[in-house]
C-alpha cells in the first residue's frame, strides 16, 4: 500500500541534492564538521529518516562484503544520532515529527535540572534518574543486527552546556539486566547498595 510518507520518502530519495548530501555524510572518508543549510521544519525529520536508512544499508553491505571476503572485525557506522535543539519547545516538536515519520526509532531525551539558578535540585528528584538513564544509554554500544532500531538522543542547548562526568565514569556504574536472564539477587542488591541505592 502506497502512503503519503512513502511518496514523500521516494521523492526525497530521488532528489539529487538531497541524496548527494546523505552520501557525503555517510562516506567514511569525509571530514567533519559539515555545514548544512536549508533543512527546516519536518524536512529535518525526513532527512533523519533517509540518513538512518542509508547508514543501515551501508552497514549491512559492509557486513556482507566482509563475510564474503573473510575480513576481520567490521568498523561500521553507528545508527545513533545526537541532536542538539534550542529548547524544550523545539524538542517536543521534533519528538512528534520523529514519532510520525520515523516511528521505529528509539528516542531518548536529556532533561535539564529544571531548577532556579543557585538552588539545588530536590533530593530524590526524578530528574537524577532520567539524566543517569540517558547517559547510560549514550555510553552503551549497540551491536548491529538486521532488526536493530535507530537510537536518537535529543538534548537542549541548556542541558548540552552543563558539565558532565566522563563516559568511563558512567560506564563503571552501569550494568544491564535483560528479560529471561538468570540473576543473583543478593549480588545485585549489593551492587545497587555500592552505587548509592537504599534498600527498601
Amino acid at each position: 500500500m502506497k502512503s503519503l510518507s512513502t511518496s514523500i520518502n521516494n521523492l526525497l530519495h530521488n532528489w539529487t541534492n538531497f541524496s548527494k548530501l546523505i552520501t557525503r555524510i555517510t562516506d567514511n572518508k569525509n571530514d567533519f564538521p559539515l555545514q548544512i543549510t536549508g533543512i527546516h521544519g519536518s524536512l529535518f525529520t525526513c532527512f533523519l529518516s533517509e540518513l538512518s536508512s542509508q547508514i543501515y544499508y551501508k552497514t549491512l553491505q559492509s557486513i556482507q562484503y566482509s563475510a564474503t571476503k573473510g575480513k576481520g572485525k567490521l568498523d561500521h557506522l553507528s545508527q545513533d544520532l545526537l541532536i542538539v535543539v534550542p529548547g524544550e519547545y523545539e524538542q517536543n516538536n521534533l519528538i512528534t515529527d520523529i514519532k510520525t515519520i520515523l516511528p521505529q526509532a528509539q528516542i531518548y531525551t536529556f532533561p535539564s535540572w529544571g531548577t532556579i539558578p543557585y538552588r539545588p535540585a530536590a533530593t530524590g528528584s526524578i530528574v537524577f534518574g532520567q539524566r543517569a538513564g540517558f547517559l547510560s544509554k549514550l555510553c552503551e554500544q549497540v551491536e548491529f543486527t538486521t532488526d536493530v532500531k535507530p537510537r536518537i538522543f535529543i538534548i537542549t542547548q541548556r542541558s548540552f552546556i552543563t558539565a558532565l562526568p566522563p563516559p568511563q565514569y558512567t560506564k563503571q556504574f552501569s550494568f544491564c539486566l535483560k528479560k529471561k536472564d538468570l540473576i543473583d539477587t543478593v549480588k545485585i542488591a549489593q551492587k545497587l547498595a555500592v552505587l548509592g541505592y537504599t534498600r527498601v
Side-chain angles (χ1 to χ4, degrees):
M1 186 173 122
K2 197 172 182 182
S3 65
L4 178 60
S5 61
T6 308
S7 301
I8 292 169
N9 286 341
N10 289 338
L11 182 70
L12 291 172
H13 185 74
N14 295 323
W15 181 14
T16 309
N17 290 344
F18 194 79
S19 57
K20 275 184 183 175
L21 174 61
I22 297 292
T23 304
R24 188 171 172 200
I25 291 171
T26 56
D27 185 4
N28 288 334
K29 299 168 189 166
N30 192 32
D31 290 326
F32 287 97
L34 292 175
Q35 186 171 353
I36 302 165
T37 57
I39 299 178
H40 303 288
S42 296
L43 181 59
F44 178 70
T45 311
C46 294
F47 168 75
L48 290 180
S49 177
E50 183 69 17
L51 179 62
S52 178
S53 50
Q54 282 299 316
I55 290 170
Y56 174 86
Y57 290 121
K58 281 196 173 187
T59 303
L60 198 58
Q61 286 170 351
S62 298
I63 289 170
Q64 290 169 340
Y65 177 78
S66 62
T68 56
K69 299 293 180 186
K71 301 250 173 151
K73 190 180 175 187
L74 171 75
D75 292 326
H76 63 75
L77 293 162
S78 172
Q79 279 196 288
D80 294 347
L81 300 169
L82 175 69
I83 302 167
V84 181
V85 292
E88 288 183 12
Y89 175 77
E90 292 82 3
Q91 176 180 277
N92 293 337
N93 286 343
L94 182 58
I95 290 169
T96 303
D97 283 352
I98 291 170
K99 285 181 178 177
T100 305
I101 297 169
L102 193 57
Q104 71 273 24
Q106 299 174 67
I107 305 167
Y108 302 99
T109 57
F110 189 61
S112 66
W113 287 111
T115 56
I116 299 168
Y118 308 108
R119 294 280 177 93
T123 306
S125 174
I126 194 169
V127 75
F128 285 98
Q130 290 170 337
R131 289 171 69 93
F134 179 94
L135 293 174
S136 180
K137 281 287 180 190
L138 196 59
C139 289
E140 180 187 344
Q141 290 189 339
V142 179
E143 191 176 329
F144 182 85
T145 60
T146 50
D147 60 347
V148 71
K149 294 179 179 178
R151 301 189 309 167
I152 299 177
F153 297 89
I154 306 172
I155 185 168
T156 62
Q157 285 178 348
R158 182 179 176 187
S159 297
F160 188 69
I161 61 171
T162 56
L164 292 172
Q168 294 76 18
Y169 179 83
T170 304
K171 281 181 185 177
Q172 73 179 347
F173 294 119
S174 300
F175 63 97
C176 186
L177 298 175
K178 292 178 185 169
K179 224 176 187 180
K180 298 183 181 178
D181 276 357
L182 292 173
I183 59 170
D184 184 334
T185 53
V186 175
K187 282 186 179 174
I188 288 174
Q190 288 170 346
K191 190 164 189 174
L192 290 171
V194 169
L195 295 178
Y197 287 89
T198 304
R199 187 168 185 168
V200 292

